[in-house]
């Protein structure tokens, strides 16, 4: 079986994009497909698979998102930017579009050839200053975006820029599975520099490791910091491992706009002889 695909990346968060309107894979098949083709060195390799499908409502198309372990996720900010570009380039949608996701409809805009903006799902659950039982962390903030919510732990970590990720991995995994989080959580460590810009490192559930960027995690972190500064609105620049992202925050409206690159990497056919979908 040969499967047409496009490889894309946004701030180093990489994705395999397929058109499921023609492939017609079931949920179980998409889950199995993602777990196999995302496996680096053994197949194409990626953080996740995104499948374009027919919408169930009034959106231009439906985005189905599967992590590298085969689990389906509610939404992905970097993925939404990339799939928006895919939809524009393939003639599925125009320069302004609406993407249906599990967490709700997501508006998206083409700003330039590879620069896109998406509206992240708004904060629906927020809990600040949760005492954490580890001396490395004084407290943890928790934010869910959308409904059902995408869960994010936001952790202030001084000296983050000089800290090796290997030193944070055990702590990140511990927080990711903290029992007070009903669905587990993505874990976003951050520190603020003297210019008010954020350094962010995200440990993602489903990937079960640090990724080069997390769009919804960047949004959740920008929201927390803006709230802590008691600002009504802010444009927050975030430095992630894969580059830079901007989040426009409106605290009163609970609005988050994510801006960044969406890059086409390659197109071709998956010929994986071990694929069992």
């Amino acid at each position: 079986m040969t499967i047409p695909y496009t490889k894309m990346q946004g701030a180093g968060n990489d994705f395999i994009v397929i058109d499921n309107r023609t492939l017609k894979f079931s949920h179980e098949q998409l889950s199995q497909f993602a777990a196999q083709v995302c496996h680096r060195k053994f197949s194409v390799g990626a953080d996740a698979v995104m499948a374009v499908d027919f919408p169930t409502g009034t959106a231009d198309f439906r985005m189905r998102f599967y992590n590298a372990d085969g689990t389906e996720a509610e939404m992905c900010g970097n993925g939404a930017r990339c799939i928006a570009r895919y939809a524009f380039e393939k003639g599925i949608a125009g320069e302004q579009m609406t993407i249906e996701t599990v967490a709700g409809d997501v508006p998206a805009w083409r700003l330039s050839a590879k620069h896109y903006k998406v509206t992240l799902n708004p904060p629906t659950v927020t809990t600040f200053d949760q005492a954490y039982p580890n001396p490395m962390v004084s407290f943890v903030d928790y934010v869910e975006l959308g409904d059902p919510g995408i869960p994010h732990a936001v952790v202030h970590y001084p000296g983050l820029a000089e800290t090796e990720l290997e030193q944070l991995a055990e702590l990140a995994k511990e927080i990711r599975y903290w029992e007070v989080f009903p669905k587990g959580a993505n874990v976003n460590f951050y520190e603020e520099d003297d210019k008010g810009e954020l350094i962010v490192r995200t440990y993602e559930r489903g990937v079960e490791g640090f990724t080069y960027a997390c769009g919804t995690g960047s949004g959740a972190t920008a929201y927390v910091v803006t709230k802590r500064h008691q600002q009504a609105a802010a444009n927050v620049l975030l430095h992630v491992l894969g580059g830079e992202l901007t989040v426009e925050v409106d605290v009163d409206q609970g609005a988050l706009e994510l801006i960044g690159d969406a890059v086409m990497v390659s197109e071709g056919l998956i010929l994986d002889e071990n694929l069992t979908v």
Side-chain angles (χ1 to χ4, degrees):
M1 182 180 188
T2 59
I3 300 171
Y5 80 99
T6 300
K7 183 78 179 286
M8 302 189 70
Q9 64 91 2
N13 212 180
D14 63 337
F15 311 100
I16 297 164
V17 187
I18 59 174
D19 190 342
N20 201 49
R21 298 175 306 168
T22 54
L23 291 168
K24 302 185 186 306
F25 286 160
S26 67
H27 163 73
E28 290 75 16
Q29 287 175 307
L30 285 170
S31 174
Q32 184 179 354
F33 175 76
Q36 293 181 67
V37 299
C38 287
H39 194 177
R40 301 185 193 278
K41 298 187 184 297
F42 286 87
S43 191
V44 178
D47 291 328
V49 163
M50 295 190 295
V52 171
D53 222 327
F54 294 108
T56 61
T58 59
D60 290 282
F61 62 94
R62 179 183 176 195
M63 165 184 169
R64 303 178 70 180
F65 188 94
Y66 289 81
N67 291 308
D69 66 355
T71 56
E72 185 174 14
E74 297 88 352
M75 213 283 279
C76 170
N78 290 325
R81 283 201 329 280
C82 287
I83 208 167
R85 180 173 181 189
Y86 177 91
F88 175 78
E89 300 286 353
K90 301 296 183 183
I92 299 168
E95 294 195 354
Q96 297 184 29
M97 66 191 79
T98 302
I99 306 168
E100 178 185 321
T101 77
V102 173
D105 285 353
V106 173
W109 297 264
R110 179 180 186 262
L111 302 180
S112 66
K114 64 175 184 176
H115 214 53
Y116 279 72
K117 176 170 77 171
V118 297
T119 299
L120 297 177
N121 303 112
T124 50
V125 177
T126 58
T127 308
F128 286 81
D129 299 318
Q130 297 181 90
Y132 190 72
N134 187 315
M136 295 177 69
V137 173
S138 54
F139 60 86
V140 174
D141 298 320
Y142 179 74
V143 177
E144 288 188 16
L145 302 182
D147 183 17
I150 308 163
H152 285 283
V154 180
V155 183
H156 182 238
Y157 196 92
L160 179 63
E162 292 77 37
T163 303
E164 296 292 333
L165 293 184
E166 290 77 7
Q167 296 175 245
L168 286 175
E170 186 174 342
L171 174 63
K173 187 174 182 179
E174 183 183 287
I175 297 171
R176 181 257 187 269
Y177 285 105
W178 193 18
E179 64 271 11
V180 304
F181 299 147
K183 298 185 286 189
N186 299 294
V187 184
N188 306 277
F189 296 98
Y190 78 93
E191 71 171 339
E192 192 169 0
D193 66 18
D194 55 7
K195 295 184 290 185
E197 298 172 0
L198 302 184
I199 297 163
V200 179
R201 303 290 181 260
T202 301
Y203 185 98
E204 291 198 49
R205 62 178 190 149
V207 178
E208 304 309 329
F210 285 97
T211 58
Y212 280 94
C214 175
T216 56
S218 296
T221 304
Y223 178 79
V224 165
V225 172
T226 304
K227 285 276 286 186
R228 287 198 169 278
H229 288 336
Q230 298 183 332
Q231 295 174 286
N235 284 355
V236 183
L237 180 64
L238 303 99
H239 300 275
V240 297
L241 286 173
E244 294 182 354
L245 294 169
T246 299
V247 178
E248 298 175 351
V249 184
D250 185 327
V251 170
D252 293 338
Q253 298 296 321
L256 302 171
E257 308 277 0
L258 177 69
I259 301 169
D261 284 350
V263 180
M264 296 279 204
V265 176
S266 66
E267 288 192 323
L269 298 174
I270 294 175
L271 306 173
D272 191 341
E273 294 178 330
N274 293 323
L275 198 61
T276 56
V277 175

